[in-house]
């Protein structure tokens, strides 16, 4: 199009006579360039570029830092020679891969230079969450976990890593031989209780290679034994569940200690005790919600506050409320005061005993 347009305007004989061949050629070129560029951009050209970045596959090397690793008789090996070997493995893998190291136990930490095998808990779920959040969508080649497989927090590691889009390899540590052991495996109780109310505690005790052995499970509070029961392990891998009821007799954060007596020749006594903490409240905090009219926000407020066991919530429309606001610890006014709502102004203006008020304002469009 540019060539035809320029030729028709500037390269016919009559133009050459008026402008001369050089000026006609210059004007013809400029006309050609202008028409060419306009036509080119009207076609909406797309410039596509591709950038390729090469990176080594990532290998995650995770070391269990819990004290169960060194419970057996080979603890000296794990504290010395093993740490040298695991660091040598990291160096060897680093020749071909981007190696990222973690330690896990009570929590997940970067690096394996400060391994002491001194953490009380082992949580494979926290390790999975850390790996998944940090390397999701990355070039994760594999996960290598060095552990004895014993866990006491989170979900079963057999299922925790199912959704990870990378192969998982394990380095088996510790002594796989089952040794005699009596332990408090789990203690469940409500987080909150109220003064002079009764609350449940569920205890699960386990015995390993302790068939026929007897043990005593005790619960103590403030140094006093409040419950004890003798149990007998009827197999080499026995589990006993004990459900008890206690009375909340003191206000505040209360510590209860659950113990199981020691057996002869137990492998460890570290797991023979667990502590739980229960917050005992004098009474529930009472919350009053007063509303001008029915509204979805009112139900949302009621449900969200009621989810906390420390609060008791009552909800009324203002023209249905006949109680006393001074019986409550907090009053929430929803779109009040409002025109035509009897009693709202009286309640809002009534002197209170420093009762907090939360007011949701509303308006008409």
């Amino acid at each position: 199009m540019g060539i035809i347009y320029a030729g028709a305007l500037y390269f016919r004989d009559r133009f050459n006579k008026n402008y001369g061949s050089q000026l006609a050629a210059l004007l013809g070129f400029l006309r050609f360039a202008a028409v060419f560029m306009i036509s080119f951009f009207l076609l909406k050209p797309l410039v596509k570029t591709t950038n390729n970045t090469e990176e080594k596959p990532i290998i995650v090397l995770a070391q269990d830092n819990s004290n169960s690793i060194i419970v057996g008789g080979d603890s000296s090996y794990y504290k010395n020679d093993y740490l040298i070997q695991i660091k040598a493995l990291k160096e060897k893998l680093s020749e071909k891969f981007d190696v990222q190291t973690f330690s896990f136990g009570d929590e997940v930490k970067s690096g394996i230079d400060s391994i002491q095998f001194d953490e009380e808990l082992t949580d494979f779920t926290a390790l999975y969450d850390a790996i998944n959040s940090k390397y999701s969508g990355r070039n994760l080649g594999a996960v290598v976990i060095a552990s004895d497989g014993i866990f006491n927090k989170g979900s079963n590691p057999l299922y925790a890593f199912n959704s990870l889009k990378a192969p998982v390899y394990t380095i088996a540590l510790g002594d796989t031989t089952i040794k005699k052991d009596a332990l408090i495996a789990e203690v469940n109780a409500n987080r909150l209780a109220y003064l002079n109310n009764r609350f449940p505690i569920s205890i699960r005790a386990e015995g390993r290679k302790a068939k026929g052995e007897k043990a005593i499970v005790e619960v103590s509070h403030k140094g006093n034994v409040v419950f004890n029961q003798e149990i007998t392990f009827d197999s080499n891998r026995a589990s006993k569940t004990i459900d008890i009821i206690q009375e909340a007799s003191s206000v505040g954060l209360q510590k209860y200690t659950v113990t199981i007596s020691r057996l002869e020749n137990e492998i460890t006594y570290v797991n023979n005790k667990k502590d739980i903490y229960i917050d005992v409240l004098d009474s529930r905090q009472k919350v009053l919600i007063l509303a001008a009219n029915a509204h979805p926000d009112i139900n949302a407020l009621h449900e969200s506050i009621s989810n906390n066991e420390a609060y008791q919530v009552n909800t009324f429309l203002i023209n249905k409320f006949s109680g006393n606001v001074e019986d409550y610890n907090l009053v929430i006014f929803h779109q009040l005061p409002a025109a035509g709502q009897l009693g709202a102004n009286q309640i809002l203006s009534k002197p209170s005993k420093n009762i907090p008020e939360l007011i949701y304002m509303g308006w008409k469009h």
Side-chain angles (χ1 to χ4, degrees), residues 73-115:
D74 49 1
S75 60
S76 177
Y77 162 73
Y78 284 113
K79 290 180 178 179
N80 297 285
D81 295 346
Y82 171 75
L83 293 179
I84 297 174
Q85 293 171 355
I86 197 69
K87 291 174 182 177
L89 174 63
K90 173 193 171 184
E91 297 301 323
K92 184 66 176 179
L93 291 173
S94 297
E95 296 175 1
K96 296 183 178 180
F97 305 102
D98 178 10
V99 180
Q100 301 292 322
T101 57
F102 295 90
S103 68
F104 66 100
D106 296 341
E107 57 184 339
V108 180
K109 303 175 185 176
S110 296
I112 57 173
D113 294 329
S114 58
I115 297 294

Side-chain angles (χ1 to χ4, degrees), residues 132-326:
N132 191 51
S133 62
K134 192 168 185 177
Y135 300 107
S136 178
R138 300 279 303 278
N139 185 20
L140 182 61
V143 176
V144 181
I145 302 175
S147 174
D148 58 1
I150 299 174
F151 65 98
N152 50 11
K153 186 179 180 182
S155 60
N156 192 320
L158 291 176
Y159 310 109
F161 290 85
N162 278 349
S163 58
L164 194 66
K165 296 180 179 179
V168 178
Y169 301 96
T170 56
I171 301 174
L173 305 180
D175 189 352
T176 59
T177 305
I178 298 176
K179 303 290 181 66
K180 179 187 283 190
D181 192 17
L183 64 142
I184 300 297
E186 189 175 15
V187 180
N188 292 316
N190 294 338
R191 184 174 59 88
L192 293 175
Y194 297 95
L195 185 64
N196 299 324
N197 284 0
R198 295 160 67 84
F199 61 91
I201 299 177
S202 180
I203 305 166
R204 184 165 64 87
E206 289 187 5
R208 299 169 183 171
K209 293 202 72 174
K211 184 177 181 180
E213 299 270 359
K214 297 181 183 296
I216 297 175
V217 175
E218 289 186 348
V219 179
S220 59
H221 176 234
K222 294 184 176 181
N224 299 317
V225 177
V226 296
F227 173 84
N228 68 80
Q229 179 178 319
E230 184 179 82
I231 59 174
T232 301
F233 299 114
D234 51 13
S235 66
N236 281 328
R237 192 67 184 260
S239 177
K240 300 288 185 179
T241 300
I242 303 171
D243 295 318
I244 66 174
I245 300 294
Q246 290 294 301
E247 184 173 344
S249 57
S250 301
V251 175
L253 194 63
Q254 305 298 318
K255 176 183 176 182
Y256 288 81
T257 301
V258 182
T259 59
I260 186 170
S261 59
R262 297 181 177 185
L263 302 180
E264 187 178 356
N265 299 322
E266 264 194 85
I267 185 175
T268 179
Y269 301 124
V270 173
N271 51 17
N272 286 47
K273 181 178 76 170
K274 278 187 182 294
D275 296 326
I276 61 171
Y277 294 87
I278 298 172
D279 194 4
V280 178
L281 305 178
D282 191 4
S283 63
R284 293 187 181 186
Q285 299 289 303
K286 298 179 68 176
V287 178
L288 172 63
I289 301 176
L290 292 176
N293 298 290
H295 194 282
D297 288 350
I298 299 171
N299 185 60
L301 278 170
H302 186 104
E303 292 298 324
S304 61
I305 299 173
S306 299
N307 284 337
N308 190 322
E309 295 182 2
Y311 298 103
Q312 176 184 334
V313 186
N314 294 325
T315 302
F316 295 93
L317 295 178
I318 188 64
N319 54 6
K320 303 284 187 176
F321 180 68
S322 59
N324 188 351
V325 293
E326 294 185 356

Side-chain angles (χ1 to χ4, degrees), residues 36-70:
F36 175 83
M37 294 300 294
I38 292 171
S39 302
F40 178 75
F41 286 114
L42 285 174
L43 292 174
K44 298 180 180 179
L46 175 66
V47 179
K48 183 178 181 181
T49 61
T50 302
N51 295 322
N52 295 322
T53 302
E54 294 185 4
E55 63 178 20
K56 293 180 179 180
I58 298 171
I59 300 294
V60 172
L61 179 58
Q63 174 62 54
D64 188 347
N65 194 34
S66 62
N67 52 25
S68 62
I69 301 292
I70 56 174

